Amino acid sequence: MPRPDRLTGRERAELRAARALAALSPRAQVRLSRRPVVRLDGQTLEPEMQMTLALLERRNEPQIETLSPAAAREQTRRRALVAAGRPVPVGAVRELTVAGAEGPLRARLYCTDEPGGPHPLLVFFHGGGFVIGDLDTHDGICRMLCVHAGVNVLAVDYRLAPEHPFPAAAEDGHAALRWGIDNAVALGADPARVAVGGDSAGGNISAVAARLAARDGGPGPALQLLIYPATDATTTRPSGGLFAEGFFLTRAQMDWFVGHYSGDADLTDPRMSPLLADDLSGLAPALVVTAGFDPLRDEGEAYAEALRAAGTPVVLRRFPGLIHGFANAAGISRVSRDALIELAGATRAMLALSRAGAVTREPSLTAR
């Protein structure tokens, strides 16, 4: 698991500097970015995000799309180690394996120490464009969700492309969700409150797994937690053009990810582009989270609207001043931490309503 004592001397210095910069006033952060306040599409970029983006640009590190998958994975691990900060304590952490589509997959179980169990279980899939990311890069998110949502989190290390192209990740997600539901009691969790969730590519996998579970006779999850999910690989929506450069996730990176994952696959396949599924009815209630300055924003919100139109209860929360990947920066970023705590609280509430049978009776909600 990521630990500060595994950082190099330079990375420890970067972690201290990041924390100090996050503590600066918004005015000082904007001044440090050496740019005027960024306002676009009716939104204002958080000063902390503006400063972070400017500092990343000045570092002039190789962009992911210029690297091999192996090199991109290593770069991402090191960055995640810094961004995660000091690990948030949880009740217990256990390494285990779960059943994937074609064999066992590494997984990690985070157990809450809150009284009053059994607690819900969140089967979690990490982001990274189906090419990068692993259990360690998302250790911080899983710990925060465990503590602030009051859930046990089962993080799954699904197969990555290009070694395992589409539909490997989708099939692993479906199999791992089924395994989590079937083994919830053995994991100390409430089998009636098993949620599925993830960020970015992991949000895509979660959406696909929830739909496949509903179509294969179930049981399906009690909730979908979709954090800035990728939902449509076939087209570029307005946010994809507005924020294609300069806001962390770029168009070139997205093309690199899709190219490695899709191979010769049909991009309209709903296991690749869940927004294009013919039927989204009968799915679990969803909490869909987007970031205002994220190229994936519009397709995530389009998916929320499609779910709502199909009769699925949806809470849509846009964080207008944030960027793609903010959940990974909660260890060093105040605004990112606040956002992650908020969405964890919403997850807790929706799962509590799920047990009471109230979620399916609630009207669809939108918060921005």
Side-chain angles (χ1 to χ4, degrees):
M1 283 170 275
R3 292 173 49 89
D5 57 15
R6 285 174 48 190
L7 296 172
T8 65
R10 176 181 175 181
E11 288 162 344
R12 283 194 293 271
E14 289 176 355
L15 176 57
R16 290 193 295 270
R19 287 174 172 165
L21 293 170
L24 294 174
S25 69
R27 178 174 296 181
Q29 290 171 341
V30 171
R31 188 163 56 244
L32 188 59
S33 75
R34 302 176 190 169
R35 298 171 181 171
V37 173
V38 176
R39 293 187 175 93
L40 191 59
D41 199 28
Q43 306 169 133
T44 301
L45 186 65
E46 285 282 354
E48 193 176 324
M49 298 290 99
Q50 181 168 328
M51 174 191 66
T52 299
L53 290 170
L55 294 176
L56 285 173
E57 183 178 322
R58 289 173 207 162
R59 290 182 64 170
N60 200 31
E61 290 186 338
Q63 296 300 304
I64 283 176
E65 69 272 16
T66 69
L67 301 173
S68 68
R73 289 166 191 159
E74 181 57 27
Q75 181 190 80
T76 301
R77 288 189 192 103
R78 302 313 304 180
R79 285 181 175 177
L81 206 59
V82 174
R86 189 172 299 279
V88 174
V90 299
V93 180
R94 179 159 62 98
E95 306 291 326
L96 67 159
T97 60
V98 305
E102 295 188 3
L105 303 171
R106 289 182 60 234
R108 184 175 293 161
L109 180 67
Y110 302 81
C111 296
T112 178
D113 57 3
E114 285 190 7
H119 299 288
L121 177 70
L122 171 64
V123 181
F124 185 88
F125 301 105
H126 66 78
F130 311 98
V131 178
I132 60 178
D134 55 32
L135 298 180
D136 288 345
T137 61
H138 285 64
D139 179 77
I141 296 177
C142 292
R143 288 172 176 271
M144 289 283 286
L145 290 171
C146 179
V147 170
H148 293 286
V151 299
N152 295 343
V153 179
L154 179 66
V156 178
D157 207 13
Y158 56 88
R159 291 172 293 165
L160 296 178
E163 297 89 343
H164 303 283
F166 175 84
E171 292 178 343
D172 280 347
H174 184 203
L177 173 59
R178 181 187 296 117
W179 189 94
I181 293 172
D182 290 345
N183 290 274
V185 173
L187 297 175
D190 181 352
R193 291 185 295 157
V194 177
V196 64
D199 65 308
S200 195
N204 172 288
I205 294 169
S206 300
V208 170
R211 187 180 66 84
L212 293 177
R215 297 295 173 263
D216 70 3
L223 176 71
Q224 304 175 69
L225 171 60
L226 310 179
I227 305 172
Y228 33 79
T231 66
D232 185 359
T234 68
T235 189
T236 299
R237 286 175 168 77
S239 65
L242 282 171
F243 311 117
E245 298 290 338
F247 297 98
F248 186 66
L249 178 64
T250 67
R251 181 76 257 169
Q253 290 170 0
M254 290 187 287
D255 290 344
W256 187 82
F257 289 135
V258 171
H260 280 304
Y261 181 50
S262 65
D264 297 326
D266 177 5
L267 298 184
T268 68
D269 188 316
R271 295 172 299 170
M272 172 77 71
S273 299
L275 181 56
L276 304 185
D278 292 335
D279 183 6
L280 292 173
S281 64
L283 304 189
L287 171 57
V288 181
V289 178
T290 63
F293 287 79
D294 180 0
L296 296 183
R297 182 195 71 193
D298 289 353
E299 63 187 79
E301 295 181 3
Y303 192 66
E305 294 299 332
L307 288 174
R308 179 178 293 121
T312 295
V314 176
V315 173
L316 170 61
R317 174 61 163 114
R318 180 197 293 187
F319 291 96
L322 299 188
I323 61 175
H324 190 86
F326 71 78
N328 286 91
I332 57 172
S333 163
R334 175 188 54 80
V335 293
S336 298
R337 178 182 175 84
D338 289 349
L340 186 54
I341 289 174
E342 180 186 323
L343 70 89
T347 300
R348 179 192 292 268
M350 292 183 75
L351 284 169
L353 289 170
S354 171
R355 178 165 59 179
V359 166
T360 56
R361 296 193 296 271
E362 288 292 311
S364 297
L365 303 174
T366 300
R368 292 188 182 177

